[in-house]
Amino acid sequence: MSNWQKQWIDSVTAPAALAERFGVDTCALEDVVRRYPMRITPYYLDLIEQPGDAIWRQCVPDARELLPCAEDCDPLHEERLSPVPLLVHRYPDRALLLASGQCAVYCRFCTRKRKVGCSVMGVTDEALEAALDYIARTVHIRDVILSGGDPLLLEDDRLEKLLYRLRAMPHVEMIRIGSRVPVTLPERITEGLCSMLRRYHPLYFNTHFNHPRELTPQAMEACRRLADAGLPLGNQTVLLRGVNDSPAIMQRLVRGLLKIRVRPYYLHHMDLAAGTGHFRTRIESGLDIVAALRGPVSGLAVPHYVIDSPGGKGKIPLLPEYLVRLGDTALLRTPSGETIEFPNSEM
């Protein structure tokens, strides 16, 4: 058994283990875990400094997950946009393949918490075959994103079979992997895995750091191995109340990401998923963060702030208002708050 597999097997899956370690009462969390499973790797658990901190909030169940709410279990209508099980086809040229039903850590804010880690998300060989057949016969799909769950919880040979099948389809020009294991189970990023991935370029990798304390030496080494294998690395952060909803924290995060060759890609406003409302911020919080980043940090470090619109209607970019007025002369607001005029006419 490899080190990463042992880490996964040794994960904390019951609130009682948290009570023993942190001296807190977790009885109220038993009902939450029956509805939304819990899993925390030993590595990620060790990042918690105290109950209620930024790491705790992301991985430890909260009684508020079961509060009555108006939110949808499937706010992005992924089930409606699934022509076959395990495949979401929202955009004409892109498809999302749910290659695994498990994660190293079950994030409490997950938009798929309705099924990730649950029996309802059984990833069978038959279902994967049906999804691959759909991609093979749908020739306008140019870009396939492997997601889940976490596709890197598949063993190397099983993951390679998927990559081999996809790379053999002439119309699939690009494959992306979405994985949080560099953050939650960095031992998974082995030299053997990276050697295998290197064979399937063009291959892109998006990971998911939410807080600068996740940028540990182990996580940095995992990202180094991926980058050295030639995979362009991007990061998708979710804006979470009480975790990263301040410009100072986000500045530390995006600067730290660039140091390890990870490009900040998206800052996601929270999806309207049931059981996640206690993480939600106002949109103004995200706009203030983006405005605070422009100028003090490199443009490479400024992510796109987006809302993934309910109903599966696509991502909507949100920007601070730098364009004040448009006519023959444009009135623009600089990142420092100064207004300038800029000519807006053809020669």
Side-chain angles (χ1 to χ4, degrees):
M1 181 184 298
S2 64
N3 186 36
W4 73 266
Q5 290 169 319
K6 187 175 187 306
Q7 272 266 335
W8 191 78
I9 289 171
D10 290 344
S11 295
V12 171
T13 58
L18 300 174
E20 294 170 8
R21 177 161 177 162
F22 295 101
V24 294
D25 183 3
T26 58
C27 292
L29 305 184
E30 297 291 346
D31 287 342
V32 182
V33 171
R34 278 190 284 271
R35 174 63 186 90
Y36 300 120
M38 165 186 168
R39 179 176 289 276
I40 311 171
T41 59
Y43 164 81
Y44 200 68
L45 190 68
D46 284 344
L47 299 187
I48 297 174
E49 295 178 349
Q50 61 185 0
D53 71 8
I55 307 301
W56 175 284
R57 287 173 183 264
Q58 292 185 71
C59 63
V60 174
D62 189 303
R64 289 174 291 182
E65 295 176 41
L66 297 182
L67 290 176
C69 64
E71 287 85 1
D72 195 339
C73 289
D74 180 18
L76 305 181
H77 287 195
E78 290 185 334
E79 307 300 335
R80 181 177 61 82
L81 295 168
S82 293
V84 295
L86 305 183
L87 190 115
V88 180
H89 193 186
R90 182 193 308 181
Y91 302 103
D93 69 334
R94 277 154 284 174
L96 186 75
L97 179 59
L98 304 178
S100 168
Q102 308 289 329
C103 287
V105 169
Y106 294 136
C107 301
R108 310 319 300 178
F109 51 85
C110 180
T111 194
R112 294 191 193 112
K113 68 187 296 175
R114 67 190 184 275
K115 63 181 185 179
V116 171
C118 302
S119 58
V120 69
M121 196 174 177
V123 177
T124 64
D125 290 342
E126 293 77 15
L128 279 174
E129 191 64 34
L132 290 168
D133 285 346
Y134 178 88
I135 297 169
R137 67 176 183 267
T138 309
V139 295
H140 52 272
I141 293 177
R142 301 170 49 249
D143 179 3
V144 177
I145 303 103
L146 299 183
S147 185
D150 197 307
L152 289 195
L153 285 190
L154 300 175
E155 294 185 12
D156 289 4
D157 59 346
R158 189 167 173 82
L159 178 60
E160 182 165 20
K161 286 178 182 177
L162 283 177
L163 294 173
Y164 180 85
R165 289 283 300 279
L166 291 168
R167 186 52 67 219
M169 300 176 191
H171 56 284
V172 174
E173 299 173 1
M174 181 171 72
I175 303 170
R176 288 186 272 171
I177 295 175
S179 171
R180 207 176 185 217
V181 298
V183 184
T184 58
L185 185 62
E187 298 90 341
R188 175 65 184 102
I189 309 300
T190 63
E191 292 290 357
L193 171 69
C194 292
S195 294
M196 181 273 286
L197 295 176
R198 185 182 281 118
R199 295 195 287 269
Y200 294 95
H201 287 308
L203 192 61
Y204 294 78
F205 196 100
N206 281 325
T207 189
H208 185 172
F209 289 89
N210 285 328
H211 193 274
R213 273 179 38 213
E214 296 171 335
L215 295 169
T216 65
Q218 298 95 318
M220 293 177 186
E221 174 61 14
C223 292
R224 182 199 66 77
R225 289 181 176 184
L226 290 165
D228 285 353
L231 280 79
L233 303 181
N235 187 71
Q236 303 193 57
T237 293
V238 178
L239 182 60
L240 302 168
R241 185 170 61 178
V243 174
N244 57 15
D245 56 333
S246 81
I249 289 174
M250 202 62 72
Q251 277 196 23
R252 286 168 52 206
L253 176 62
V254 298
R255 283 176 168 153
L257 287 168
L258 283 191
K259 287 181 182 178
I260 61 172
R261 293 186 282 175
V262 179
R263 172 82 182 267
Y265 178 36
Y266 279 137
L267 174 61
H268 282 277
H269 196 76
M270 274 290 303
D271 290 335
L272 300 176
T276 66
H278 54 292
F279 285 111
R280 198 160 299 123
T281 67
R282 290 183 61 86
I283 293 171
E284 290 91 336
S285 295
L287 292 172
D288 288 345
I289 287 169
V290 173
L293 292 178
R294 290 217 175 265
V297 302
S298 164
L300 282 171
V302 181
H304 301 287
Y305 180 38
V306 296
I307 285 179
D308 214 343
S309 52
K313 297 176 182 176
K315 293 181 180 66
I316 302 169
L318 303 172
L319 292 169
E321 293 188 8
Y322 296 116
L323 176 61
V324 179
R325 188 181 65 242
L326 192 60
D328 290 338
T329 299
L331 185 64
L332 308 176
R333 181 175 289 109
T334 69
S336 65
E338 179 186 1
T339 54
I340 64 166
E341 291 187 344
F342 192 88
N344 185 35
S345 57
E346 298 175 350
M347 293 293 293

